[in-house]
Amino acid sequence: MLEYLSSCLDWKALLIALLVGCLLWRYRYPASMTVLLSGAGLFAARFPVQSVRFSALAVKVVLRMHGHRRLAGQSFREHWSSARDMPPLAKQWLGYAVACYCGMRFGEKTISPQQALMVRQSVLGAYDILRGVIPELARS
């Protein structure tokens, strides 16, 4: 009897682990966007460079979510510019984030806390447009 209960608990634990794994896989993009953009918001005031880096990672997630994979040898700017079938406003906002990140990374300019928050907001806005939260902006 004890062996039977033990084997049933193993199957239940395995089933629960499988269910949790499926849910994590299904919601991987929203979960990663929540983590990255929350981190960008938290770091903006004291560590604006780290905030912009988090936002740049979020841009990569947005592009991946939109079905645009990065090709081998492609730079971050090339990856963004080769994205097709994207609403113009979302592409413009992602372009702003990419330009700020590349300018900061290659030493062309420094990033203030306000600019870091603007980069985060532009990525969040593009993400909302692409997932259909703001459909009226997708048409412009």
Side-chain angles (χ1 to χ4, degrees):
M1 178 74 171
L2 192 56
E3 286 180 20
Y4 176 73
L5 287 175
S6 174
S7 66
C8 286
L9 290 177
D10 291 340
W11 281 103
K12 288 179 184 177
L14 181 63
L15 186 61
I16 289 171
L18 184 63
L19 179 65
V20 168
C22 288
L23 287 174
L24 286 175
W25 180 256
R26 179 158 189 224
Y27 296 108
R28 66 191 180 275
Y29 295 125
S32 60
M33 288 300 291
T34 300
V35 168
L36 289 171
L37 291 177
S38 296
L42 288 172
F43 283 131
R46 295 201 33 131
F47 307 104
V49 171
Q50 285 302 107
S51 174
V52 172
R53 286 183 181 156
F54 273 104
S55 296
L57 287 173
V59 169
K60 292 178 184 180
V61 171
V62 167
L63 291 173
R64 180 84 180 226
M65 180 193 78
H66 190 63
H68 185 67
R69 296 179 186 266
R70 187 173 176 190
L71 301 176
Q74 214 174 26
S75 72
F76 187 47
R77 192 180 302 260
E78 291 169 340
H79 182 213
W80 162 78
S81 67
S82 64
R84 303 284 180 247
D85 301 328
M86 190 176 290
L89 189 57
K91 188 153 182 164
Q92 179 183 353
W93 285 350
L94 290 178
Y96 171 74
V98 169
C100 284
Y101 171 74
C102 290
M104 176 206 68
R105 181 170 180 231
F106 298 112
E108 297 168 5
K109 63 179 177 178
T110 59
I111 297 292
S112 69
Q114 293 80 15
Q115 287 173 319
L117 285 174
M118 288 297 296
V119 169
R120 179 191 174 276
Q121 283 299 112
S122 67
V123 175
L124 179 61
Y127 174 63
D128 286 343
I129 290 171
L130 290 174
R131 69 182 177 135
V133 174
I134 315 171
E136 60 273 6
L137 294 180
R139 290 180 238 131
S140 59

